[in-house]
């Protein structure tokens, strides 16, 4: 059975790989709604997918042949779109973060349970990184024993001139930990096989943009699952000299070895992306993971067809989102933010 999907919420460029990978996995796009807060995102979408039909948002929600909604709207708007889609009988793939407030997470959890629909969040720093696919296989095979600690680094280039105005408003995007650190929280839970965790400490700072005092350009988090610990650092300090948007890295410490992922670049080293370094009882070696197939999108579509959960365990997406929001609240010193 061919899965038909639609794209609603063209506000972040992550919609490009969400749509592109679903098409590559064999799904058919029934159309997209052109509503956007950033005309440059829409322009880029049309350049990449010139043949996809334009349809109204409500027409896509109401089309009984559309089985999945993909959404990369302004983060604060994503939960309402997901809820509308699930209540219309459709499964959902959201860009991260899936929500920016705990009340939104509660609502998503409730509606997903009521409707029986699949609610997934595309954590692209794992699902669109081929080195993560290889690392997942190695960890599953016991190559480094049991993972007891992760260190996730998520530096990004600010590219201030091309960012939409909502990008600098925490009430719209949730803050640096809610947003970027959700990637690293996802990786911590996945690689340590934890289903939940506690935020031990979290902090944020604005080091370079005093004229935008509510914006945060640095954040870190310490979390603990009882059986493993994780440290996360995210920032907007990638220098212009780096030939990619960020030197994202992931370190996995196991009871019998370690893995380092240099996801997007091996600085002043090997060319290309998706470098994996394995240390075990046999020695050390570099693995070129750049040709490893991506599996999330194929599995997600299979889950839609088979009503299974191979792409992401039930509840994982919302647990990651909840922890990211809690970390943000601790860093902000706020009571739980409700929306």
């Amino acid at each position: 059975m061919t899965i038909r999907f639609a794209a609603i919420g063209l506000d972040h460029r992550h919609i490009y790989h969400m749509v592109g990978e679903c098409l590559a996995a064999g799904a058919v796009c029934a159309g997209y709604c052109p509503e956007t807060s950033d005309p440059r995102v829409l322009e880029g979408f049309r350049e990449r997918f010139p043949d996809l039909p334009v349809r109204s948002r409500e027409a896509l929600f109401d089309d009984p042949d559309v089985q999945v909604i993909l959404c990369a709207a302004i983060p604060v708007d994503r939960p309402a779109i997901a809820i509308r889609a699930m209540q219309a009988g459709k499964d959902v793939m959201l860009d991260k973060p899936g929500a920016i407030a705990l009340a939104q997470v509660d609502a998503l959890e409730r509606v997903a349970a009521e409707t029986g629909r699949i609610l997934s969040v595309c954590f692209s720093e794992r699902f669109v990184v081929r080195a993560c696919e290889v690392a997942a296989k190695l960890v599953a095979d016991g190559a480094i024993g049991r993972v007891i600690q992760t260190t996730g680094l998520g530096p990004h280039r600010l590219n201030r001139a091309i960012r939409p105005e909502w990008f600098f408003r925490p009430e719209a995007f949730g803050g640096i930990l809610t947003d970027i650190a959700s990637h690293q929280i996802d990786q911590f839970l996945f690689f340590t096989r934890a289903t939940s965790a506690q935020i031990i400490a979290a902090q944020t700072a604005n080091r370079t943009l005093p004229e935008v005092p509510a914006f945060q350009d640095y954040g870190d988090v310490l979390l603990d699952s009882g059986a493993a610990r994780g440290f996360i650092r995210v920032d907007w300090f990638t220098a212009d000299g780096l030939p990619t948007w960020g030197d994202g890295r992931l370190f996995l410490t196991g009871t019998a070895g370690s893995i380092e992922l240099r996801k997007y670049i091996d600085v002043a080293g090997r060319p290309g992306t998706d470098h994996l370094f394995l240390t075990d009882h046999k020695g050390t070696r570099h693995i070129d993971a750049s040709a490893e197939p991506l599996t999330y999108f194929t599995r997600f579509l299979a889950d839609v067809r088979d009503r299974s959960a191979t792409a992401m365990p039930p509840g994982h997406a919302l647990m990651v989102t909840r922890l990211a929001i809690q970390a943000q609240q601790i860093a902000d010193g706020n009571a739980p933010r409700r929306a």
Side-chain angles (χ1 to χ4, degrees), residues 83-164:
I83 287 170
R84 174 72 174 87
M86 289 189 287
Q87 290 174 336
K90 306 181 191 312
D91 298 318
V92 178
M93 180 193 295
L94 294 173
D95 184 21
K96 64 78 210 167
I100 68 166
L102 293 177
Q104 293 178 325
V105 178
D106 294 341
L108 288 168
E109 192 170 53
R110 182 178 64 254
V111 174
E114 291 171 351
T115 61
R117 306 320 302 177
I118 296 171
L119 176 64
S120 191
V121 173
C122 181
F123 297 109
S124 56
E125 291 190 31
R126 175 160 67 96
F127 294 140
V128 192
V129 174
R130 300 177 193 277
C132 281
E133 298 278 359
V134 174
K137 291 180 179 179
L138 290 169
V139 169
D141 290 343
I144 62 170
R146 180 169 54 87
V147 178
I148 58 171
Q149 201 275 342
T150 71
T151 297
L153 307 181
H156 286 59
R157 179 175 289 117
L158 183 59
N159 286 328
R160 185 175 181 181
I162 67 169
R163 299 292 180 180

Side-chain angles (χ1 to χ4, degrees), residues 17-331:
H17 63 242
M18 294 167 68
V19 169
E21 293 295 341
C22 283
L23 290 172
V28 172
C29 184
Y32 69 94
C33 173
E35 294 179 28
T36 182
S37 62
D38 190 343
R40 291 165 295 194
V41 175
L42 178 60
E43 180 182 359
F45 187 90
R46 287 172 167 163
E47 289 175 354
R48 289 165 175 79
F49 311 108
D51 299 325
L52 298 185
V54 175
R55 299 174 64 185
S56 73
R57 179 173 295 196
E58 288 305 311
L60 294 170
F61 281 135
D62 293 338
D63 186 341
D65 293 329
V66 172
Q67 296 151 283
V68 175
I69 298 296
L70 308 185
C71 176
I74 298 172
V76 70
D77 297 332
R78 291 172 191 170
I81 293 172
I83 287 170
R84 174 72 174 87
M86 289 189 287
Q87 290 174 336
K90 306 181 191 312
D91 298 318
V92 178
M93 180 193 295
L94 294 173
D95 184 21
K96 64 78 210 167
I100 68 166
L102 293 177
Q104 293 178 325
V105 178
D106 294 341
L108 288 168
E109 192 170 53
R110 182 178 64 254
V111 174
E114 291 171 351
T115 61
R117 306 320 302 177
I118 296 171
L119 176 64
S120 191
V121 173
C122 181
F123 297 109
S124 56
E125 291 190 31
R126 175 160 67 96
F127 294 140
V128 192
V129 174
R130 300 177 193 277
C132 281
E133 298 278 359
V134 174
K137 291 180 179 179
L138 290 169
V139 169
D141 290 343
I144 62 170
R146 180 169 54 87
V147 178
I148 58 171
Q149 201 275 342
T150 71
T151 297
L153 307 181
H156 286 59
R157 179 175 289 117
L158 183 59
N159 286 328
R160 185 175 181 181
I162 67 169
R163 299 292 180 180
E165 60 83 23
W166 59 260
F167 176 83
F168 297 95
R169 291 190 290 112
E171 66 272 21
F173 78 94
I176 192 170
L177 299 182
T178 297
D179 182 20
I180 302 179
S182 61
H183 285 300
Q184 285 72 33
I185 294 173
D186 161 68
Q187 291 162 58
F188 169 80
L189 294 180
F190 174 75
F191 283 108
T192 65
R193 301 181 182 179
T195 57
S196 63
Q198 179 182 0
I199 306 299
I200 304 300
Q203 63 179 350
T204 59
N206 181 338
R207 303 295 189 193
T208 61
L209 296 174
E211 71 277 17
V212 192
F215 187 70
Q216 299 153 345
D217 53 19
Y218 174 87
D220 60 45
V221 181
L222 178 65
L223 67 167
D224 191 299
S225 69
R229 279 215 167 192
F231 174 75
I232 294 164
R233 191 205 80 218
V234 293
D235 64 65
W236 289 103
F237 297 139
T238 293
D240 290 342
L242 194 76
T244 187
W245 56 266
D247 182 15
R249 299 196 184 194
L250 174 65
F251 301 83
L252 307 176
T253 300
T255 55
S258 63
I259 290 172
E260 178 188 350
L261 304 186
R262 301 182 186 180
K263 297 180 179 182
Y264 312 113
I265 189 171
D266 182 11
V267 177
R270 300 165 179 83
T273 61
D274 293 286
H275 301 277
L276 185 149
F277 300 87
L278 172 65
T279 301
D280 59 15
H281 67 280
K282 298 177 183 178
T284 63
R285 66 184 185 272
H286 168 262
I287 298 174
D288 179 357
S290 60
E292 187 71 17
L294 300 175
T295 61
Y296 165 73
F297 298 91
T298 300
R299 289 179 177 178
F300 174 82
L301 296 175
D303 290 340
V304 171
R305 182 186 64 243
D306 302 333
R307 310 317 297 166
S308 52
T310 64
M312 182 178 291
H316 175 84
L318 292 181
M319 176 55 68
V320 171
T321 306
R322 191 180 298 277
L323 287 170
I325 294 169
Q326 289 173 349
Q328 187 72 54
Q329 291 172 345
I330 290 171

